[in-house]
Amino acid sequence: VTYDTGMVLGEVHSLRPSLSSYPALCGEAFAHRAARRGAPRHVAQWWRTIAARTCLCVQFATYYLTTVAELIYFEQFFGQVFEDSPLCQWQWLLVAAVVSIPLLQLPTFHETRWAALVVGVMPLVLNVSVMFYEVALVRPWDCTPGPSYDGGGERDAAGILLGLSAFSYAFGGHGFYPEEMREMRTPSKWPTVMHWTYGLVLPLYWACGVLGYYAYGDYSLANINLNFPKNKANLLSIAVQLVQEIYFIVSTNLVLNLSMELALGIDPVACCAPAAAPAPGRTTAATADLSRDLSYPVSVPGTVDPQVGLGGKGG
């Protein structure tokens, strides 16, 4: 479904290149619907404005919570790599923020392409390999007791909301699509991007999902490395994911920062020009955004599973 909707977004963008953000697309969709029903122009414009602003608010809330989840994963990875450190959770969160701030100065998705390759794509191969290695090493299905597959017991409202949030999370990346198409050198190649991305990612999802559930069943943990023994391969995987989290934090914040800058008529790449002076205002804004993201996880000590912690918040 996400593949089909991604392709639809690409077709819409090819017809209306000026709609370069998800809120703009949403506003135009509601305005077009009102116009088709015979609404006068000012009513269609009203729907365009309301829909775009509502979508923008939802997008901000969504990516705020997404960044919070990534920050929690970030500090968990720190804690797993440096187990003997005296730092506690909120202190690791501050360390994660300080490490992320330099990369937050990247102004657009175009400038993050090499970071995406180095800390996004390449470590993926390593992490998948480590998972297969750890499962083959331990063979959890031969353990006593072995994995169970009864679904984990009774269902409650919180569990149902958490499951639904996992489905909705699958569409979270769609908020990046219009921005990425806007910055592509050849936006008409968007279908090729979708073909390659889903052609590579879906087999990995299926392989890891089926193998992981068969190996661990209801005992599987959201932080996948907690399922593995404490050995060098697992430690290497955690260290690599620790670096990956920097890009995940940057990408969600970048959507929010670009929305604000473009709405204010600010050229995000002006600060990257060879003769440009430093932009302390932009640095301050990016730091302030990250501080906002830190407010929730710091205020909720003991959050172990980001999905559980944020599932209740989202519900």
Side-chain angles (χ1 to χ4, degrees):
V1 175
T2 58
Y3 171 82
D4 292 333
T5 51
M7 293 295 288
V8 169
L9 286 175
E11 293 178 10
V12 172
H13 186 268
S14 66
L15 296 173
R16 301 283 186 89
S18 60
L19 303 177
S20 58
S21 69
Y22 213 85
L25 284 170
C26 183
E28 190 64 25
F30 275 83
H32 184 69
R33 181 175 181 273
R36 288 185 61 184
R37 294 194 169 199
R41 181 173 297 181
H42 72 278
V43 174
Q45 179 59 37
W46 182 86
W47 277 107
R48 178 182 287 108
T49 303
I50 293 298
R53 290 177 179 176
T54 302
C55 182
L56 184 62
C57 291
V58 172
Q59 190 178 53
F60 265 66
T62 301
Y63 285 126
Y64 163 73
L65 292 176
T66 301
T67 305
V68 169
E70 301 299 349
L71 282 167
I72 294 174
Y73 275 125
F74 204 176
E75 63 86 14
Q76 282 186 353
F77 292 143
F78 267 124
Q80 289 176 265
V81 173
F82 305 101
E83 287 185 325
D84 298 328
S85 172
L87 299 182
C88 59
Q89 182 186 43
W90 72 269
Q91 292 170 323
W92 278 125
L93 284 169
L94 294 180
V95 173
V98 171
V99 172
S100 303
I101 286 175
L103 206 59
L104 283 170
Q105 309 314 310
L106 293 173
T108 65
F109 284 102
H110 183 74
E111 277 71 28
T112 67
R113 63 193 185 281
W114 296 115
L117 176 63
V118 174
V119 303
V121 178
M122 293 171 60
L124 182 64
V125 178
L126 172 66
N127 291 329
V128 172
S129 301
V130 168
M131 176 183 174
F132 278 81
Y133 167 77
E134 297 288 6
V135 171
L137 179 68
V138 178
R139 301 176 64 87
W141 49 84
D142 292 335
C143 297
T144 303
S148 65
Y149 309 101
D150 59 6
E154 297 182 359
R155 297 289 181 269
D156 55 14
I160 293 173
L161 284 174
L162 181 59
L164 293 174
S165 68
F167 281 99
S168 62
Y169 189 80
F171 291 90
H174 282 48
F176 294 99
Y177 290 175
E179 281 84 356
E180 291 175 340
M181 285 183 274
R182 178 187 64 213
E183 297 184 22
M184 287 180 65
R185 185 175 300 172
T186 311
S188 60
K189 291 185 177 180
W190 178 254
T192 303
V193 174
M194 293 292 293
H195 297 334
W196 275 100
T197 301
Y198 277 78
L200 294 173
V201 171
L202 279 181
L204 289 179
Y205 265 100
W206 274 102
C208 294
V210 172
L211 176 63
Y213 187 66
Y214 177 73
Y216 302 104
D218 300 327
Y219 298 108
S220 59
L221 301 173
N223 186 338
I224 191 171
N225 294 90
L226 294 177
N227 298 288
F228 304 150
K230 295 180 179 179
N231 53 27
K232 292 182 179 180
N234 192 14
L235 184 63
L236 176 62
S237 174
I238 295 171
V240 169
Q241 291 178 75
L242 180 64
V243 178
Q244 279 184 296
E245 285 299 327
I246 301 176
Y247 178 74
F248 299 151
I249 292 170
V250 169
S251 60
T252 49
N253 269 278
L254 190 55
V255 175
L256 308 184
N257 292 338
L258 282 172
S259 296
M260 291 185 292
E261 291 174 345
L262 294 176
L264 295 172
I266 299 174
D267 182 4
V269 298
C271 62
C272 299
R282 195 172 193 282
T283 302
T284 302
T287 306
D289 286 342
L290 189 60
S291 301
R292 173 207 60 211
D293 299 330
L294 283 169
S295 61
Y296 176 64
V298 169
S299 65
V300 185
T303 301
V304 176
D305 189 331
Q307 286 187 325
V308 174
L310 297 178
K313 184 79 170 178

